[in-house]
Every structure is written in C-alpha cells, then in structure tokens.
C-alpha cells in the first residue's frame, strides 16, 4: 500500500521530532527535517540513522530497508524546502505565540492541500490555527515520548478542522504502526486529562497524613497492579514536567476541583527536589537506584482475640471465608463480645464514622479495604481510627499477615488508598465520556497505551463494580464535603442502573 503522505516535513527536530521522523520514514514517506537551530537537523539525522543501524544489528530491519530509510531522510535549510510536503508535523517549543507564527509561515510556504499538524501536548489546536486563512487543514497529532515505543497518537480536531484531515492522519498513524485515538480539542486531550486522577489523589492522601509515599506506591502496585506507584512515576517524569501539567489542566478547566494540584509538588519543585534526574525526589537515589524505606515489620502477638465482622462489611462472605482460612475465631453474635477485635469494611466512609454509626467500640474497631477481591490482590490494607488501642491494631496486623501476604496499616481516611485512587480515576474517565472528548473505546486504548495502566479506567470501574465506585464517591463526598468527589453524571447513570461502563448509549 502506498503511503497517504508521500512527503512529510518535520519542523523542530528535538526528542519528539526525531521519533516522529523515524517512524514516518519507516512508513516509506520521504521526510525532510527542519530546525531553526544551526546544525540540529543534521545531528537529528545522524541520531535517527544510528537507530536504524541498531535495528539492523538486532535483525529488525534488513540492510536494504535501513539504507532506503536513510535515503528517504533529508535535511531542509529553510521552510521553503518543505514546499512539496503533503504533511508537515510541528514539534517545536511549547509556546502558543511561536507556534502561531510558524503556522502562518507554513501556510504561506505550502499549497492549501497540505495538512499541517501540531504535536502540542497542552496548547489548544483551535488557538494555534485561529488566525490562519485555512484552519480546516490544521489538526493536533500528539505523540508520546519515546515515539517509536509509545504506539499511540491522539488525533485532535480543532473547531474548524476538516474531518477528512483527521481521517487521513489516523490512517497515516496506522501506516506508521501506531494506534490513533480521536480526541476533541480540550485541555490535556485524552491521556493527560485521564492521567490527572492517579497522582493528584495520591498526593491528597499524603497531604492528609494518611500514609507515606512508599506505602501508597506499594498499595497501588500490589492491590491494583500499576507497574509504578504514583510517586515512583512522578520521580521518573520529574516534577518540573508533571507539576506544570497539573496546574495547566486545572486552570484551563477554570479551577475544576477534580484536577486541583497539590502544594506538596509545588514546594518540592521550588526546592529542586524534582525526581530521579535530580538524584532526589519522593525517594532519594543512590547511583540511580531508589532508596526505599523498609516496611514496618509484622508485630509479635501472643494471642489473637476473637473477631467480629460488621454485617454491613463489603464482600462480607469473602471476608468471613478469609478469616476462616487464616484460622481466626469468628464471633457470630449480633454485636461483638467485650474482647473481640471488630472489623468493618466500608466503601468510601472512614472507620471512625462507621464505628459511631454502627455503635461499635472505636478502641477495638479496625477497617479493611475489601473493594477488590482478596484473591486478586497481593496486599491487604487495614485502617486505624484515632481511638484504636495498640494491642488491637497489632492483633489485626498479625492476623492478616498469618498466611504471608503483605499488610499495610494506614491512618483513617474516607475510602482507603485504593478506593480513593480507583474511584477518582474512574470518575475522571467517566467525565471525559460525559464531555464527549472521545469514545469510551478510544479512552481505554489511549490510557492503556499512553499511561501503561493495567486496565483502561472504564474496565477498572467494571472490574470493581460501577455501583461500588459510585458508593465510594458518594460517601467520600459526605466525609470530605468536597465537590472533587462528586460523581460524573455519566457514571451516576450507569452505576445507578447497574450497567457496564463500556455500554454505549444508543
Ligand atoms: P525539544 O526542546 O527537544 O525540541 C524542540 C526543537 O524545536 C529544538 O531543536 C528547537 O531548536 C526547535 N525549534 C524551536 N523553535 C523552532 C522554530 N520556530 N522553528 C523550527 N524549530 C524550532 O522539545 P520536544 O521535547 O521534542 O517537544 C517538542 C514539542 O512536542 C512540544 O510542543 C512539546 O510540548 C511536544 N511534546 C513533547 C513531549 C515530550 O515528552 N518531550 C511529549 C509530547 C509532546
């Protein structure tokens, strides 16, 4: 099949321009590199050719293919050298005024039939094209770093973009071996918008003193299956990149509470504690290796008291079975005996509230997060309350560690760690669907490929139950009185009638 765009221009040949040029040339387009900085396009060409040499060594490209790719990679010395391109992809500095000036120059240099695309990650495509004579041919084409490995690209239609332009860009993405997702021109598009929940909610949990960075990372890796905890991820991305994105999306959505950034990252950024590349972030790094604080050991306990489980516990049957498997003495009375360890498993509510509402003795009441089936997780999470006795805390910790599974004990918070983070991710994703920013399917594809989550956010909501997620959000709204936890109407409707979140409305 011949390529949709035979001649492609790349303007700005830094990290992103290089990656895009590489896959465009591999898709058999003739690619012209242009950069305003002297010598940069030449260096870019050398570095891309070195990539092909590596692929040749690894047997992923034949000698003829590598040579043909190199022959198709040209250098331009002015925008005039791009005059015969059918597509120009811009990957220059992220500034609206500079991008607008470049697009005006490109419009003057190229025929009307040429498509002009921007790799912007945070600017409005509509704003970039606003003063152009033919804004219909301008679209966003948002790749991820490193481009040859991150196989997803967001195709963004500005207000005046012709739909045929987006269709051609999507087909061209497929020719380059990438998966296109179609996004409306909104702050953060899909991936950077959907990604707001993970780090910001984790930061709120730390900000409330519920658990420390390392504990939250462990819980989200072991309970949900994230490859990196939110703090490990922020250390890798570095706060000089991620904090401004958090602020920008929050501001662009006119201070929408769901996206509110954290003073923790603002202060760490100001202090230069930005992450792995600085040698110090949420973790400190020794020769590039994160120094992770040890987990608190399982306490030594002589005897474990009998256990009473609240009739309102989530997954109560599974919890009782688990206790049986652990060999606990289970009380079956209507209320706990005076010596019993009292277990509650709320969704969204804090342990203190549950103890008060269910008239339980808080000194003996411990919470366990049962949002996720115990068999499906590698860690159990218990929550204390301010009145909990140390012997009861220790007994609960020791009991749930009896079969060798890891246990974290956190302070009381509405919704534990996993419930809070999962519900926030699902809620933000639902709101993306509510706003028709993209199709539910494209949302799932964009998040799994662009963020590497173990599941798409809607599939995650389905796995843990849309009704459960809704319950977590409703109750957290009560605990915190904060609009950031109000459920999106899209989630409310589906959760309320027990529909799968992947169910499309007719
Ligand atoms: P970079 O700083 O590595 O490269 C930018 C290049 O553009 C430089 O070589 C610079 O000399 C050149 N340049 C600046 N103004 C120019 C102009 N008027 N005409 C021609 N060349 C010009 O930047 P990077 O990281 O490659 O990012 C480029 C764009 O891609 C930005 O819009 C950024 O937001 C976006 N982006 C970056 C991602 C990343 O992870 N680095 C991910 C997705 C998008």
């Amino acid at each position: 099949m011949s390529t949709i765009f035979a001649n492609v221009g790349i303007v700005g040949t830094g990290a992103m321009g290089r990656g895009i040029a590489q896959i465009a040339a591999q898709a058999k387009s003739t690619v012209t590199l242009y950069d305003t900085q002297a010598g940069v396009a030449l260096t870019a060409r050398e570095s891309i050719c070195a990539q092909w040499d590596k692929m040749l060594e690894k047997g992923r490209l034949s000698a003829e293919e590598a040579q043909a790719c190199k022959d198709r990679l040209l250098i331009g010395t002015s925008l005039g050298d791009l005059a015969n391109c059918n597509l120009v992809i811009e990957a220059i500095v992220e500034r609206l005024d500079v991008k607008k000036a470049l697009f005006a120059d490109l419009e003057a240099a190229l025929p009307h039939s040429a498509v002009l695309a921007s790799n912007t990650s945070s600017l409005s495509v509509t704003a970039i094209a606003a003063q152009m004579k033919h804004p219909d041919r301008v679209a966003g084409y948002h790749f991820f770093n490193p481009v040859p490995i991150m196989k997803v690209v967001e195709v963004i239609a500005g207000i005046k973009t012709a739909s045929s332009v987006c269709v051609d860009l999507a087909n061209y993405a497929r020719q380059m071996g990438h998966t296109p997702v179609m996004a409306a021109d909104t702050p953060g598009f899909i991936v950077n918008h959907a990604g707001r929940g993970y780090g910001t909610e984790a930061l709120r949990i730390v900000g409330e003193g519920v658990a420390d960075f390392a504990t939250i990372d462990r819980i989200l890796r072991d309970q949900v299956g994230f490859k990196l905890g939110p703090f490990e991820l922020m250390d890798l991305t570095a706060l000089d990149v991620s904090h401004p994105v958090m602020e920008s999306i929050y501001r662009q959505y006119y201070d929408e509470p769901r996206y509110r950034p954290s003073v923790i990252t603002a202060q760490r950024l100001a202090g230069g504690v930005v992450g792995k590349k600085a040698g110090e972030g949420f973790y400190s790094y020794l020769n590039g290796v994160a120094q992770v604080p040890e987990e608190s050991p399982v306490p030594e306990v002589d005897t474990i008291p009998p256990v009473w489980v609240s009739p309102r516990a989530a997954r109560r049957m599974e919890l009782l079975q688990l206790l049986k498997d652990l060999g606990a003495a289970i009380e079956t009375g209507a209320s706990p005996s005076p010596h019993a360890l009292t277990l509650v498993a709320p969704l969204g509510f804090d342990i203190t509230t549950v103890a008060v509402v269910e008239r339980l003795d808080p000194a003996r009441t411990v919470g366990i997060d049962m949002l996720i089936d115990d068999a499906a997780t590698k860690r159990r999470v218990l929550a204390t309350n301010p009145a909990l006795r140390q012997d009861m805390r220790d007994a609960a910790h020791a009991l749930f560690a009896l079969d060798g599974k890891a246990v974290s004990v956190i302070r009381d918070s509405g919704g534990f760690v996993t419930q809070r983070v999962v519900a926030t991710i699902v809620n933000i994703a639902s709101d993306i669907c509510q706003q028709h920013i993209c199709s539910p399917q494209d949302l799932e594809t964009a998040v799994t490929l662009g963020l590497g989550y173990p599941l798409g956010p809607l599939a995650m909501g389905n796995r843990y139950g849309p009704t459960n997620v809704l319950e977590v959000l409703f109750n957290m709204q009560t605990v915190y009185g904060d609009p950031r936890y109000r459920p999106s109407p899209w989630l409310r409707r589906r959760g309320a009638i027990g529909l799968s979140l992947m169910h499309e409305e007719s």
Side-chain angles (χ1 to χ4, degrees):
M1 188 174 54
S2 64
T3 173
I4 295 170
F5 296 109
N7 290 296
V8 174
I10 303 288
V11 181
T13 57
M16 296 304 290
R18 288 171 198 202
I20 301 166
Q22 181 188 330
I23 61 169
Q26 285 167 206
K28 302 206 168 24
S29 299
T30 298
V31 178
T32 307
L33 304 171
Y34 173 71
D35 198 291
T36 40
Q37 252 190 87
V40 167
L42 189 63
T43 318
R45 188 176 186 282
E46 284 164 3
S47 103
I48 299 166
C49 289
Q51 291 300 320
W52 287 324
D53 289 338
K54 270 193 208 151
M55 287 168 74
L56 173 62
E57 272 170 37
K58 289 184 184 159
R60 286 165 46 208
L61 214 58
S62 70
E64 298 76 56
E65 283 167 335
Q67 190 53 50
C69 282
K70 290 178 186 175
D71 293 344
R72 284 194 291 269
L73 191 58
L74 314 176
I75 287 176
T77 51
S78 73
L79 284 187
D81 290 341
L82 307 182
N84 72 339
C85 288
N86 343 75
L87 166 66
V88 171
I89 304 170
E90 164 277 310
I92 66 168
V93 58
E94 187 76 340
R95 271 183 44 193
L96 183 60
D97 55 340
V98 185
K99 291 209 200 261
K100 280 175 96 158
L102 171 68
F103 275 76
D105 291 346
L106 286 171
E107 182 157 59
L110 278 98
H112 177 201
S113 57
V115 170
L116 307 178
S118 172
N119 183 45
T120 183
S121 55
S122 66
L123 301 172
S124 152
V125 174
T126 305
I128 292 173
Q131 268 85 44
M132 293 177 67
K133 285 196 209 83
H134 300 291
D136 54 311
R137 54 144 142 188
V138 178
Y141 211 23
H142 181 211
F143 290 86
F144 295 82
N145 193 18
V147 179
I149 291 167
M150 300 294 286
K151 300 269 184 197
V152 64
V153 55
E154 295 176 325
V155 179
I156 302 128
I159 283 180
K160 295 193 176 164
T161 309
S163 54
S164 59
V165 164
C166 293
V167 170
D168 285 350
L169 287 173
N171 285 331
Y172 186 54
R174 291 188 192 96
Q175 288 187 342
M176 292 189 287
H178 272 46
T179 302
V181 288
M182 312 304 269
D185 188 16
T186 48
F189 312 126
I190 308 172
V191 172
N192 282 340
H193 184 168
R196 283 317 90 223
Y198 194 44
T200 41
E201 191 59 24
L203 283 160
R204 280 176 200 135
I205 298 170
V206 166
E208 291 166 17
V210 172
D212 59 37
F213 311 127
T215 302
I216 293 174
D217 279 350
R218 283 188 191 106
I219 291 173
L220 289 165
R221 273 195 323 253
D222 290 352
Q223 286 209 312
V224 191
F226 286 103
K227 279 190 219 100
L228 293 176
F231 298 100
E232 293 169 302
L233 184 63
M234 281 187 270
D235 268 6
L236 204 61
T237 318
L239 292 183
D240 52 340
V241 176
S242 53
H243 182 79
V245 174
M246 293 188 225
E247 278 197 338
S248 146
I249 291 182
Y250 175 63
R251 292 288 178 218
Q252 287 186 73
Y253 271 110
Y254 298 105
D255 296 8
E256 162 59 50
R258 284 197 189 102
Y259 315 130
R260 194 187 305 145
S262 165
V263 292
I264 297 174
T265 46
Q267 199 193 36
R268 286 178 164 256
L269 174 58
V273 187
V274 297
K276 188 173 178 182
K277 71 180 181 188
E280 203 183 352
F282 293 106
Y283 298 92
S284 52
Y285 291 83
L286 202 63
N287 302 322
V289 179
Q291 305 300 296
V292 183
E294 293 272 318
E295 285 203 64
S296 33
V298 179
E300 307 254 345
V301 172
D302 293 337
T303 49
I304 291 178
V307 185
W308 182 90
V309 178
S310 159
R312 288 154 89 171
R315 293 185 191 272
R316 186 166 190 270
M317 287 305 150
E318 286 171 33
L319 182 52
L320 287 169
Q321 185 58 49
L322 170 62
L323 289 166
K324 221 187 249 174
D325 295 345
L326 292 169
I330 301 169
E331 291 195 352
T332 53
S335 54
S337 73
H339 310 292
L341 168 67
T342 307
L343 276 184
V344 295
L347 294 174
F349 273 129
D350 54 320
I351 311 312
T352 311
T353 301
V354 174
V356 171
V357 170
E358 296 189 24
R359 300 187 193 290
L360 302 170
D361 174 8
R364 296 183 285 129
T365 304
V366 172
I368 179 164
D369 190 352
M370 291 298 290
L371 175 69
I372 303 178
D373 179 5
D374 182 73
T377 70
K378 292 196 212 125
R379 179 175 293 271
R380 300 183 183 121
V381 177
L382 305 177
T384 62
N385 77 75
L388 182 66
R389 277 191 348 230
Q390 186 67 39
D391 61 321
M392 286 293 165
R393 178 198 161 116
D394 288 350
H397 189 164
L399 168 63
F400 283 103
L402 275 176
D403 59 357
K405 199 178 247 195
V407 174
S408 294
V409 185
I410 62 170
R411 291 210 183 87
D412 198 7
S413 117
F416 298 87
V417 172
T418 294
Q419 291 182 19
R420 290 179 68 159
V421 172
V422 164
T424 303
I425 289 172
V426 175
N427 198 29
I428 288 175
S430 299
D431 215 49
I432 289 176
C433 296
Q434 177 71 57
Q435 293 179 46
H436 288 269
I437 290 172
C438 61
S439 69
Q441 196 48 59
D442 273 1
L443 171 69
E444 298 293 272
T445 305
V447 171
T448 41
L449 294 178
L451 296 173
Y453 286 4
L455 284 173
L458 303 179
M460 199 180 281
N462 285 338
R463 177 169 293 180
Y464 305 138
T467 319
N468 290 337
V469 173
L470 254 190
E471 192 174 335
V472 169
L473 290 167
F474 276 132
N475 292 342
M476 280 176 56
Q477 226 184 332
T478 308
V479 173
Y480 290 101
D482 190 324
R484 70 194 183 208
Y485 298 119
R486 72 186 186 283
S488 164
W490 194 92
L491 174 62
R492 277 179 73 148
R493 282 194 291 272
R494 280 157 185 77
I497 48 180
L499 271 186
S500 134
L501 298 185
M502 297 298 289
H503 177 95
E504 293 227 32
E505 246 167 63
S506 52

